[in-house]
C-alpha cells in the first residue's frame, strides 16, 4: 500500500513536533534536576553565556549547520542535543503510525491515543536521561509520567472498545 501525500505531511509534522518536544526535553533534563526554571532564562551557551538566537535553535538542523559549535565562542555543543531531538522526533513518527493505518471511524480515538502515548514516551525518556546523568528524577516529571500513563491507558481502552 503506497502512502498518500497527506500521510507524508503528517509524518513530517509528527517528526517536527517531536523534534521540538525533544528540544524542550533537553532543557528539562538540564535544568529541572538543578532546580532551574523551564521558562527563564532563554537558552544560552554554557561556555560564553550568549543567548542562542532563534535561527540557531532549530531542532536537529541548527546543530549540523553550526557544525556542533557555538556561533559566538566556538565552544563544542554536545551531540546529545540533536540526538535527543531526533530520537523523540522518530518516536513521534512511530506513534503516528496508528493514526495513518486505522479506519476513518477510529481516527479520533487513534489520534488521542497516539498523542498521549508519544508524550508519555517523551516524559519517560527524559526521566531516563536524568537518571543516566546521575540525578534524581524531579517530582514534576514523576507526576507527568503518572498522569500521562493514566490518560494513555484510558485512551487505549477507549480505542480498543471502539
Amino acid at each position: 500500500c503506497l502512502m498518500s501525500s497527506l500521510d507524508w505531511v503528517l509524518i513530517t509534522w509528527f517528526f517536527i513536533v517531536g523534534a521540538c518536544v525533544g528540544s524542550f526535553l533537553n532543557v528539562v533534563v538540564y535544568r529541572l534536576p538543578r532546580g532551574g526554571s523551564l521558562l527563564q532564562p532563554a537558552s544560552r551557551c554554557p561556555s560564553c553565556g550568549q543567548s542562542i538566537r532563534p535561527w540557531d535553535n532549530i531542532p536537529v538542523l541548527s546543530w549540523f549547520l553550526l557544525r556542533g559549535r557555538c556561533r559566538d565562542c566556538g565552544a563544542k555543543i554536545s551531540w546529545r542535543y540533536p540526538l535527543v531531538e531526533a530520537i523523540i522526533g522518530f518516536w513521534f513518527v512511530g506513534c503516528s503510525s496508528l493514526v495513518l493505518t486505522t479506519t476513518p471511524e477510529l481516527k479520533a480515538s487513534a489520534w488521542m491515543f497516539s498523542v498521549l502515548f508519544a508524550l508519555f514516551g517523551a516524559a519517560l525518556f527524559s526521566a531516563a536521561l536524568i537518571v543516566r546523568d546521575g540525578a534524581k528524577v524531579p517530582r514534576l516529571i514523576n507526576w507527568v509520567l503518572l498522569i500521562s500513563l493514566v490518560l494513555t491507558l484510558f485512551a487505549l481502552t477507549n480505542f480498543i472498545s471502539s
Side-chain angles (χ1 to χ4, degrees):
C1 164
L2 293 174
M3 293 189 353
S4 72
S5 13
L6 178 59
D7 291 342
W8 285 110
V9 169
L10 283 172
I11 287 170
T12 303
W13 181 81
F14 263 87
F15 181 82
I16 291 169
V17 169
C20 290
V21 169
S23 182
F24 178 70
L25 290 183
N26 280 320
V27 173
V28 168
V29 168
Y30 182 79
R31 292 185 186 181
L32 269 189
R34 294 168 176 79
S37 167
L38 297 179
L39 304 176
Q40 293 294 329
S43 295
R44 307 180 173 286
C45 171
S47 295
C48 68
Q50 181 67 36
S51 291
I52 297 174
R53 296 162 187 83
W55 53 87
D56 288 339
N57 209 12
I58 301 167
V60 182
L61 185 62
S62 290
W63 189 88
F64 287 102
L65 293 174
L66 293 169
R67 295 186 180 105
R69 297 197 172 272
C70 172
R71 178 180 299 279
D72 296 297
C73 70
K76 284 188 176 183
I77 301 168
S78 173
W79 55 267
R80 181 165 135 173
Y81 291 102
L83 183 62
V84 168
E85 294 163 355
I87 287 171
I88 299 300
F90 286 118
W91 170 250
F92 273 51
V93 168
C95 290
S96 74
S97 65
L98 182 62
V99 174
L100 298 174
T101 59
T102 194
T103 61
E105 55 274 0
L106 295 177
K107 286 262 191 231
S109 295
W111 269 105
M112 185 170 62
F113 174 72
S114 294
V115 168
L116 289 168
F117 192 56
L119 293 174
F120 172 72
L124 189 60
F125 190 70
S126 69
L129 288 173
I130 290 169
V131 169
R132 184 197 174 281
D133 290 346
K136 181 180 174 188
V137 177
R139 188 171 290 160
L140 175 63
I141 293 179
N142 288 327
W143 278 109
V144 168
L145 281 167
L146 178 63
I147 292 167
S148 64
L149 176 61
V150 168
L151 291 174
T152 300
L153 292 173
F154 172 75
L156 179 61
T157 304
N158 186 38
F159 179 71
I160 291 172
S161 67
S162 296

